[in-house]
Amino acid sequence: PVLHKRDGPGRTKVSMFSTKLQQSQTHTYLRRSPPPENASKLQWTGNVKQHEFPRGRFKWKIRVCPSGIHLFDRNTGTNILLDEVQLEPAKWATAPRHVSIALTNACDLACPYCFAPKNGVSLDVKRLMNWLDELDGNGCLGVGFGGGEPTLFPKFAEACHYAVHNTGLAVSFTTNARHLDDTLIAALAGSVHFIRVSMDGVESTYEALRCQP
């Protein structure tokens, strides 16, 4: 198997450990090779979403796709592609690998180049949670919340908490960071895996482009 670790938009091969792929009629195994006495074993079956190694280092979300079996650990960002294992199309994930969701059009900046409308419309949080459940159940690995400014979504912390604690999805969001105060940070603790901060410069350049101090 080829081990990949995500680094930016590309995929870089990383030699973290050597493995041996073992197969039976019902299971596919990824085993350390040569296996130590207490070697970890990853077991895949058609109805298993994730498996935790005995020592708890990784917790995998499993996605079956045309290129093989894709294993993703949302806590570390580690990706493993088992490209030797080819399964029939009926087992392929039906959801995209990653989905971006605009939670709201609301934003407190006035960037002249921004394409998003500023009418303050937001998604219904119950509908959003249903989408998260559906994406998770159909092989999606992660969601990225955006907008507008996602931290202005009325139920933002609640939505992130639901995604992390009720699904296997990785949660990220893109923000201007103006609202990441101590209260919001505390509310998001343990409910976000990656944060992207959007910046177009510093000091006078930032202020001119964002129309805010």
Side-chain angles (χ1 to χ4, degrees):
V2 180
L3 176 63
H4 298 281
K5 188 168 184 180
R6 290 283 174 191
D7 186 12
R11 185 172 64 188
T12 304
K13 293 183 180 179
V14 181
S15 298
M16 290 181 63
F17 55 81
S18 58
T19 61
K20 183 178 181 181
L21 192 66
Q22 300 180 347
Q23 292 179 284
S24 69
Q25 290 184 341
T26 58
H27 297 84
T28 299
Y29 299 98
L30 176 67
R31 189 186 294 274
R32 292 176 185 267
S33 179
E37 184 176 337
N38 61 343
S40 298
K41 179 177 68 175
L42 178 67
Q43 174 178 296
W44 180 87
T45 61
N47 59 357
V48 173
K49 288 185 180 179
Q50 53 192 8
H51 173 86
E52 189 168 3
F53 277 102
R55 283 179 254 177
R57 182 179 177 188
F58 296 104
K59 192 169 185 179
W60 303 106
K61 178 78 181 287
I62 299 178
R63 173 183 170 86
V64 180
C65 54
S67 54
I69 297 177
H70 183 178
L71 313 176
F72 174 64
D73 174 39
R74 65 183 183 175
N75 294 316
T76 65
T78 302
N79 288 264
I80 298 177
L81 177 64
L82 306 181
D83 52 6
E84 300 96 331
V85 184
Q86 298 297 319
L87 298 173
E88 59 270 26
K91 295 185 180 295
W92 294 354
T94 55
R97 183 173 58 190
H98 185 274
V99 173
S100 297
I101 300 177
L103 298 179
T104 179
N105 286 336
C107 184
D108 55 341
L109 298 181
C111 306
Y113 44 82
C114 181
F115 62 88
K118 305 296 189 294
N119 53 21
V121 174
S122 297
L123 289 176
D124 176 76
V125 68
K126 294 298 184 182
R127 175 177 292 183
L128 172 63
M129 291 176 179
N130 289 337
W131 287 354
L132 297 174
D133 289 336
E134 185 175 351
L135 290 168
D136 181 47
N138 287 282
C140 184
L141 300 180
V143 291
F145 293 138
E149 170 53 42
T151 58
L152 296 179
F153 182 62
K155 300 286 186 178
F156 181 61
E158 180 181 338
C160 293
H161 186 276
Y162 181 88
V164 167
H165 296 283
N166 293 276
T167 77
L169 298 168
V171 175
S172 64
F173 66 92
T174 302
T175 176
N176 60 32
R178 293 171 60 85
H179 301 279
L180 288 179
D181 55 19
D182 291 343
T183 300
L184 181 56
I185 291 172
L188 292 173
S191 298
V192 177
H193 298 99
F194 312 98
I195 298 176
R196 303 175 186 88
V197 177
S198 177
M199 297 183 65
D200 299 317
V202 297
E203 298 180 346
S204 60
T205 301
Y206 176 89
E207 294 174 3
L209 291 173
R210 296 301 179 96
C211 302
Q212 288 285 349

